[in-house]
Short mmCIF file of all heavy atoms in Angstrom, two decimals:
data_model
loop_
_atom_site.label_atom_id
_atom_site.label_comp_id
_atom_site.label_asym_id
_atom_site.label_seq_id
_atom_site.Cartn_x
_atom_site.Cartn_y
_atom_site.Cartn_z
N PHE V 144 -26.64 27.05 18.15
CA PHE V 144 -27.46 25.87 17.81
C PHE V 144 -28.80 25.93 18.65
O PHE V 144 -28.75 26.20 19.87
CB PHE V 144 -26.68 24.61 18.15
CG PHE V 144 -27.37 23.34 17.95
CD1 PHE V 144 -27.87 23.05 16.68
CD2 PHE V 144 -27.61 22.45 19.02
CE1 PHE V 144 -28.54 21.81 16.48
CE2 PHE V 144 -28.32 21.26 18.82
CZ PHE V 144 -28.76 20.95 17.55
N GLY V 145 -29.89 25.57 18.00
CA GLY V 145 -31.23 25.63 18.63
C GLY V 145 -31.42 24.70 19.79
O GLY V 145 -32.29 24.89 20.58
N GLY V 146 -30.61 23.61 19.86
CA GLY V 146 -30.83 22.60 20.92
C GLY V 146 -30.16 23.06 22.27
O GLY V 146 -30.15 22.32 23.21
N GLU V 172 -38.77 20.09 15.64
CA GLU V 172 -37.83 18.95 15.82
C GLU V 172 -38.56 17.67 15.65
O GLU V 172 -39.36 17.23 16.53
CB GLU V 172 -37.32 19.08 17.27
CG GLU V 172 -35.98 19.64 17.38
CD GLU V 172 -34.92 18.79 16.80
OE1 GLU V 172 -34.64 17.62 17.29
OE2 GLU V 172 -34.34 19.16 15.77
N ARG V 175 -42.19 17.62 16.84
CA ARG V 175 -42.50 18.55 17.95
C ARG V 175 -42.16 19.95 17.54
O ARG V 175 -41.12 20.25 16.91
CB ARG V 175 -41.69 18.21 19.19
CG ARG V 175 -42.18 17.02 19.95
CD ARG V 175 -41.28 16.70 21.11
NE ARG V 175 -39.96 16.47 20.65
CZ ARG V 175 -38.84 16.49 21.37
NH1 ARG V 175 -38.95 16.93 22.63
NH2 ARG V 175 -37.62 16.21 20.87
N ILE V 177 -40.93 23.40 18.87
CA ILE V 177 -40.20 23.91 20.02
C ILE V 177 -40.19 25.40 20.05
O ILE V 177 -39.58 26.02 19.14
CB ILE V 177 -38.73 23.37 20.01
CG1 ILE V 177 -38.71 21.90 19.65
CG2 ILE V 177 -37.93 23.80 21.25
CD1 ILE V 177 -37.97 20.99 20.51
N TYR V 179 -39.00 28.95 20.51
CA TYR V 179 -37.69 29.54 20.72
C TYR V 179 -37.76 30.82 21.49
O TYR V 179 -36.82 31.21 22.17
CB TYR V 179 -37.03 29.89 19.33
CG TYR V 179 -36.29 28.73 18.71
CD1 TYR V 179 -36.61 27.35 18.95
CD2 TYR V 179 -35.16 28.96 17.88
CE1 TYR V 179 -35.90 26.33 18.37
CE2 TYR V 179 -34.48 27.96 17.26
CZ TYR V 179 -34.80 26.63 17.52
OH TYR V 179 -34.10 25.61 16.92
N ALA V 287 -25.95 17.17 5.61
CA ALA V 287 -27.09 16.99 6.46
C ALA V 287 -26.63 17.24 7.89
O ALA V 287 -26.28 16.26 8.63
CB ALA V 287 -27.63 15.55 6.31
N SER V 288 -26.58 18.44 8.24
CA SER V 288 -26.17 18.84 9.58
C SER V 288 -27.03 20.01 10.02
O SER V 288 -28.20 20.06 9.56
CB SER V 288 -24.67 19.24 9.54
OG SER V 288 -24.24 19.70 10.82
N ASP V 289 -26.57 20.82 10.83
CA ASP V 289 -27.37 21.97 11.26
C ASP V 289 -26.45 23.22 11.14
O ASP V 289 -25.26 23.11 11.44
CB ASP V 289 -27.83 21.79 12.74
CG ASP V 289 -28.79 22.82 13.20
OD1 ASP V 289 -28.38 24.03 13.40
OD2 ASP V 289 -29.95 22.52 13.38
N TRP V 292 -23.76 24.18 13.73
CA TRP V 292 -22.42 23.59 13.91
C TRP V 292 -21.53 24.01 12.78
O TRP V 292 -21.92 24.55 11.77
CB TRP V 292 -22.62 22.01 13.78
CG TRP V 292 -23.59 21.46 14.74
CD1 TRP V 292 -24.73 20.84 14.43
CD2 TRP V 292 -23.51 21.44 16.24
NE1 TRP V 292 -25.36 20.44 15.57
CE2 TRP V 292 -24.70 20.79 16.71
CE3 TRP V 292 -22.59 21.93 17.11
CZ2 TRP V 292 -24.93 20.68 18.05
CZ3 TRP V 292 -22.86 21.78 18.51
CH2 TRP V 292 -23.97 21.12 18.95
N VAL V 294 -20.05 22.24 10.62
CA VAL V 294 -20.29 21.58 9.31
C VAL V 294 -21.37 22.35 8.60
O VAL V 294 -21.30 22.57 7.34
CB VAL V 294 -20.81 20.12 9.56
CG1 VAL V 294 -21.22 19.47 8.23
CG2 VAL V 294 -19.75 19.26 10.24
N LYS V 316 -34.84 14.83 9.97
CA LYS V 316 -33.96 13.91 10.62
C LYS V 316 -33.71 12.74 9.62
O LYS V 316 -34.42 12.58 8.70
CB LYS V 316 -34.59 13.36 11.88
CG LYS V 316 -34.92 14.32 12.96
CD LYS V 316 -33.86 14.33 14.03
CE LYS V 316 -34.10 15.41 15.06
NZ LYS V 316 -33.04 15.50 16.03
N PRO V 317 -32.71 11.93 9.89
CA PRO V 317 -32.49 10.78 9.08
C PRO V 317 -33.55 9.74 9.15
O PRO V 317 -33.79 8.93 8.28
CB PRO V 317 -31.13 10.18 9.44
CG PRO V 317 -30.83 10.80 10.81
CD PRO V 317 -31.63 12.09 10.94
N THR V 340 -22.64 13.75 6.20
CA THR V 340 -23.39 13.70 7.41
C THR V 340 -22.54 12.99 8.48
O THR V 340 -21.33 12.68 8.26
CB THR V 340 -24.75 12.96 7.22
OG1 THR V 340 -25.53 13.16 8.40
CG2 THR V 340 -24.59 11.48 7.03
N ALA V 341 -23.08 12.81 9.67
CA ALA V 341 -22.32 12.23 10.74
C ALA V 341 -22.69 10.71 10.78
O ALA V 341 -23.82 10.32 10.40
CB ALA V 341 -22.73 12.84 12.06
N THR V 343 -23.51 8.75 13.00
CA THR V 343 -24.70 8.45 13.82
C THR V 343 -25.98 8.47 12.97
O THR V 343 -26.89 7.64 13.27
CB THR V 343 -24.80 9.50 15.03
OG1 THR V 343 -25.78 9.09 15.90
CG2 THR V 343 -25.09 10.88 14.56
N ALA V 344 -26.09 9.33 12.00
CA ALA V 344 -27.28 9.32 11.15
C ALA V 344 -27.39 7.99 10.42
O ALA V 344 -28.49 7.47 10.25
CB ALA V 344 -27.13 10.48 10.16
N ALA V 509 -23.86 11.78 19.35
CA ALA V 509 -24.56 11.91 18.04
C ALA V 509 -23.92 12.99 17.19
O ALA V 509 -24.58 13.78 16.56
CB ALA V 509 -26.06 12.22 18.29
N GLY V 510 -22.61 12.98 17.15
CA GLY V 510 -21.85 13.97 16.36
C GLY V 510 -21.81 15.33 16.96
O GLY V 510 -21.25 16.24 16.37
N HIS V 511 -22.43 15.50 18.12
CA HIS V 511 -22.42 16.82 18.76
C HIS V 511 -21.26 16.81 19.80
O HIS V 511 -21.19 15.86 20.65
CB HIS V 511 -23.73 17.12 19.45
CG HIS V 511 -24.91 16.90 18.61
ND1 HIS V 511 -24.97 17.40 17.35
CD2 HIS V 511 -26.10 16.37 18.82
CE1 HIS V 511 -26.14 17.16 16.79
NE2 HIS V 511 -26.86 16.44 17.69
N LYS V 541 -25.75 6.73 19.26
CA LYS V 541 -25.16 8.10 19.31
C LYS V 541 -23.59 8.06 19.51
O LYS V 541 -23.03 9.11 19.63
CB LYS V 541 -25.78 8.88 20.52
CG LYS V 541 -27.26 9.08 20.33
CD LYS V 541 -27.82 10.08 21.22
CE LYS V 541 -29.34 10.30 20.89
NZ LYS V 541 -29.91 11.46 21.54
N ARG V 571 -30.66 19.43 31.33
CA ARG V 571 -31.47 19.80 30.21
C ARG V 571 -31.81 21.31 30.23
O ARG V 571 -31.80 21.96 29.16
CB ARG V 571 -32.76 18.96 30.24
CG ARG V 571 -33.56 19.04 28.94
CD ARG V 571 -34.76 18.17 29.03
NE ARG V 571 -35.60 18.29 27.89
CZ ARG V 571 -35.50 17.60 26.80
NH1 ARG V 571 -34.65 16.56 26.72
NH2 ARG V 571 -36.28 17.80 25.75
N PRO V 576 -31.35 20.16 25.57
CA PRO V 576 -31.64 18.78 25.24
C PRO V 576 -30.53 18.10 24.45
O PRO V 576 -30.39 16.92 24.54
CB PRO V 576 -32.89 18.90 24.44
CG PRO V 576 -33.07 20.36 24.05
CD PRO V 576 -32.33 21.14 25.06
N VAL V 577 -29.77 18.90 23.73
CA VAL V 577 -28.71 18.34 22.92
C VAL V 577 -27.65 17.61 23.75
O VAL V 577 -27.01 16.65 23.21
CB VAL V 577 -28.00 19.49 22.07
CG1 VAL V 577 -27.24 20.42 22.94
CG2 VAL V 577 -27.13 18.85 21.04
N LYS V 581 -29.21 11.68 30.32
CA LYS V 581 -30.43 11.00 30.82
C LYS V 581 -30.09 10.10 31.96
O LYS V 581 -30.93 9.48 32.50
CB LYS V 581 -31.03 10.16 29.71
CG LYS V 581 -31.27 10.86 28.36
CD LYS V 581 -32.79 11.13 28.08
CE LYS V 581 -32.91 12.20 27.11
NZ LYS V 581 -33.51 12.04 25.88
N1 LIG G 701 -33.61 22.52 18.57
C1 LIG G 701 -34.15 22.08 19.72
N2 LIG G 701 -33.90 20.83 20.19
C2 LIG G 701 -33.06 20.03 19.51
C3 LIG G 701 -32.45 20.49 18.35
C4 LIG G 701 -32.74 21.78 17.83
N3 LIG G 701 -32.17 22.31 16.71
N4 LIG G 701 -31.68 19.46 17.89
C5 LIG G 701 -31.75 18.44 18.74
N5 LIG G 701 -32.65 18.78 19.70
C6 LIG G 701 -33.09 17.90 20.78
C7 LIG G 701 -33.75 16.69 20.31
O1 LIG G 701 -35.14 16.83 20.00
C8 LIG G 701 -33.47 15.73 21.42
O2 LIG G 701 -34.47 16.01 22.48
P1 LIG G 701 -35.11 14.94 23.37
O3 LIG G 701 -34.10 14.52 24.38
O4 LIG G 701 -36.36 15.62 23.91
O5 LIG G 701 -35.53 13.78 22.45
C9 LIG G 701 -32.17 16.11 21.93
O6 LIG G 701 -31.95 17.44 21.51
C10 LIG G 701 -31.04 15.29 21.47
O7 LIG G 701 -30.93 15.36 20.05
P2 LIG G 701 -30.15 14.38 19.14
O8 LIG G 701 -28.82 14.06 19.78
O9 LIG G 701 -30.10 14.92 17.74
O10 LIG G 701 -30.96 12.99 19.23
P3 LIG G 701 -32.24 12.58 18.51
O11 LIG G 701 -32.68 11.38 19.29
O12 LIG G 701 -33.27 13.62 18.28
O13 LIG G 701 -31.80 12.12 17.01
C11 LIG G 701 -30.06 11.28 15.51
C12 LIG G 701 -30.72 11.16 16.87
C13 LIG G 701 -28.95 10.32 15.33
C14 LIG G 701 -31.27 10.98 14.48
C15 LIG G 701 -29.70 12.73 15.27
O14 LIG G 701 -28.66 13.02 16.25
C16 LIG G 701 -29.16 13.06 13.92
O15 LIG G 701 -29.94 13.25 12.97
N6 LIG G 701 -27.88 13.26 13.71
C17 LIG G 701 -27.46 13.59 12.40
C18 LIG G 701 -26.09 14.08 12.42
C19 LIG G 701 -25.88 15.49 12.80
O16 LIG G 701 -26.69 16.33 12.63
N7 LIG G 701 -24.65 15.82 13.30
C20 LIG G 701 -24.24 17.14 13.61
C21 LIG G 701 -22.81 17.37 13.32
S1 LIG G 701 -22.24 16.98 11.71
#
Side-chain angles (χ1 to χ4, degrees):
F144 177 62
E172 260 293 292
R175 285 177 301 159
I177 313 231
Y179 272 31
S288 176
D289 188 289
W292 306 115
V294 176
K316 298 261 176 185
T340 193
T343 189
H511 308 316
K541 297 194 177 192
R571 192 177 175 93
V577 68
K581 310 250 157 118

